[in-house]
Amino acid sequence: MQRYFISNDQINDNNIVIVGDDVHHITRVLRMKTGDELLCSCSESGKTAHAKIVEITSDTVQVDVVKWLETTSELPVRVAIANGLPKGDKLELVIQKGTELGAHHFIPFIAARSIVKWDEKKGPKKVDRWNKISKEAAEQSHRSFIPKVETPLTFQQLMEKSKEWDYKIVAYEEDAKVGEKSAFATTLQKIKPNESILLVVGPEGGLTEKEVDKLKEHGFISCALGPRILRTETAPLYGLAAISYQFELL
Amino acid sequence: MQRYFISNDQINDNNIVIVGDDVHHITRVLRMKTGDELLCSCSESGKTAHAKIVEITSDTVQVDVVKWLETTSELPVRVAIANGLPKGDKLELVIQKGTELGAHHFIPFIAARSIVKWDEKKGPKKVDRWNKISKEAAEQSHRSFIPKVETPLTFQQLMEKSKEWDYKIVAYEEDAKVGEKSAFATTLQKIKPNESILLVVGPEGGLTEKEVDKLKEHGFISCALGPRILRTETAPLYGLAAISYQFELL
């Protein structure tokens, strides 16, 4: 069943008003009619309703809730991925796949070895695009929450912001090279449901020693994600899959 | 240190002769000289040598082994990924990222819902390209083994071939929808080092019920990879990351 994301103020008890681009998608792309069924997920509350179309106008689709669903497809821990700004469309891959894998939040940051310059003028358009990718991936993967993608932070801003998370982890290539094995799993096993994790990953070429030292000063645990050297866009996906395995399957 | 893959017959006790494209890479791209050091990995034996260049000719580079390395970056279990042939360049992504994540073998197969037609004429060139991607990803991620990518099999051939693996798993979207949670982790926990796993993943649109039934008849265990619906190219990466987490970090 097709899923649409709504905000709290679109809900009126058991009636929901769908507006914006989704109206076009429902009426023109899928050509749905009164009586057809769909899913409405509210990203703020994490709740999902199974609903039925009761009225279609040119700019709204009204649906009645058939049933609020009990199950959730959300990770029991909130995981934010902070990626050193990479080249090309790698961050798009991280956002799309990371959303499928359950990420709660994406925070690109400008790392010492980030080659791309952040263009303040073109930036907002890029951030919009990233958020569109996370919305589409959330719909496709049956999430009930759309992860937010932030405007890239400076390293200093990332340090400040990192205080908001319960656990802070940095994936560090040099740890993989010297055979570090236990830090990641040991940390995950300490985390309780509803706690939050911030996972920092470097850009191509990795984080500098100085950056890793700074992160450790700010309470980050440095760890290897297995013995192989992962690309900047692969490391967050490993992290998220391992977190899902630990908290959802084990 | 740069890594090159060699075959057993290039090794003569403590002397290795590098030939082919790698000679160009060593002498022209990296402009290395006698006395410079590099790594030689033998994919057949899984062994890696730290070596030093002793002679350069126009078509060979001779190196002396300084030391055979003890550490391995290979997964303790052999994982083959059988992907229903997907559209576009998705399989390339699976091969590149899957190699980084430790896959041992890739087996594309023509699934009922595979939209791409396999072109017997252009096929061999495509398979060569896939194998080149796995070689490059193996070098980049410091693997000592290059995963082989097979020519796509029919579903019937995949059934036949599946007998070669100790454990056979099929990732099934319908299991994710009904909240199946334990089969994947329970199976992984039974597997011992050096055993082998075949993980089958459908193309876009998933496997048909009939295919999943056939797989089960052939001893496959059907399971969900978490509660979210993963794209065809994301599921193998989740599988490999979870296997690495289970066998290398926990």
Side-chain angles (χ1 to χ4, degrees), chain B residues 77-80 165 167 169 188 191 195-199 243:
Chain B
V77 290
R78 275 170 296 126
V79 187
W165 280 268
Y167 289 86
I169 297 172
L188 292 196
I191 301 172
E195 288 191 315
S196 60
I197 312 170
L198 174 61
L199 174 61
I243 289 169

Side-chain angles (χ1 to χ4, degrees), chain A residues 100 231 238 244-246, chain B residues 73 100 231 238 244-246:
Chain A
E100 289 175 59
R231 283 172 203 250
Y238 182 110
S244 161
Y245 182 72
Q246 173 73 48
Chain B
S73 56
E100 288 175 59
R231 284 172 201 250
Y238 182 110
S244 160
Y245 183 72
Q246 173 72 49

Side-chain angles (χ1 to χ4, degrees), chain A residues 73-75 93 96-97 100-102 140-143 177 181 184-185 188-189 224 226-231 233-234 238 241-242 244-246 248-250, chain B residues 73-75 93 96-97 100-102 140-143 177 181 184-185 188-189 224 226-231 233-234 238 241-242 244-246 248-250:
Chain A
S73 57
E74 293 301 317
L75 269 175
L93 183 86
Q96 186 191 70
K97 305 281 163 258
E100 289 175 59
L101 293 167
Q140 186 272 335
S141 58
H142 295 205
R143 300 265 317 250
K177 287 184 187 160
K181 273 178 190 165
F184 187 59
L188 291 195
Q189 286 167 330
R228 290 164 296 284
I229 304 301
L230 304 178
R231 283 172 203 250
E233 71 276 23
T234 315
Y238 182 110
S244 161
Y245 182 72
Q246 173 73 48
E248 297 182 314
L249 299 187
L250 270 184
Chain B
S73 56
E74 293 302 317
L75 270 175
L93 184 85
Q96 185 191 71
K97 304 281 165 255
E100 288 175 59
L101 293 167
Q140 186 271 335
S141 58
H142 295 206
R143 301 260 322 246
K177 287 183 187 160
K181 275 178 187 167
F184 187 60
L188 292 196
Q189 285 167 330
R228 290 163 297 282
I229 305 300
L230 303 179
R231 284 172 201 250
E233 72 276 22
T234 314
Y238 182 110
S244 160
Y245 183 72
Q246 173 72 49
E248 296 182 316
L249 298 188
L250 271 183

Side-chain angles (χ1 to χ4, degrees), chain B residues 62-226:
Chain B
Q62 287 216 34
V63 300
D64 274 351
V65 174
V66 176
K67 199 171 128 184
W68 287 99
L69 303 180
E70 302 283 323
T71 57
T72 174
S73 56
E74 293 302 317
L75 270 175
V77 290
R78 275 170 296 126
V79 187
I81 300 293
N83 236 124
L85 205 59
K87 285 194 285 187
D89 54 5
K90 285 179 191 164
L91 195 63
E92 299 186 2
L93 184 85
V94 171
I95 293 166
Q96 185 191 71
K97 304 281 165 255
T99 298
E100 288 175 59
L101 293 167
H104 186 268
H105 197 158
F106 296 95
I107 309 166
F109 71 96
I110 297 151
R113 293 196 181 124
S114 286
I115 289 165
V116 199
K117 292 278 163 280
W118 182 247
D119 184 332
E120 292 291 345
K121 260 193 191 158
K122 290 185 194 159
K125 224 174 162 177
K126 210 163 198 176
V127 176
D128 281 352
R129 184 171 155 68
W130 289 338
N131 279 288
K132 208 176 158 208
I133 291 171
S134 82
K135 178 175 182 275
E136 285 170 358
E139 285 169 357
Q140 186 271 335
S141 58
H142 295 206
R143 301 260 322 246
S144 54
F145 178 84
I146 306 171
K148 190 185 169 192
V149 190
E150 302 266 353
T151 297
L153 303 183
T154 63
F155 186 73
Q156 195 48 47
Q157 287 170 327
L158 177 67
M159 295 299 87
E160 280 305 310
K161 201 175 170 64
S162 72
K163 292 171 191 154
E164 297 172 19
W165 280 268
D166 297 315
Y167 289 86
K168 290 169 277 192
I169 297 172
V170 49
Y172 190 35
E173 174 170 294
E174 296 305 320
D175 284 351
K177 287 183 187 160
V178 298
E180 190 288 310
K181 275 178 187 167
S182 61
F184 187 60
T186 312
T187 306
L188 292 196
Q189 285 167 330
K190 278 184 205 156
I191 301 172
K192 291 181 200 69
N194 294 319
E195 288 191 315
S196 60
I197 312 170
L198 174 61
L199 174 61
V200 170
V201 172
E204 296 95 344
L207 295 163
T208 63
E209 217 181 309
K210 207 169 146 190
E211 283 174 321
V212 174
D213 287 345
K214 273 263 179 238
L215 288 162
K216 285 181 184 166
E217 278 170 32
H218 282 79
F220 278 78
I221 299 151
S222 137
C223 64
L225 303 175

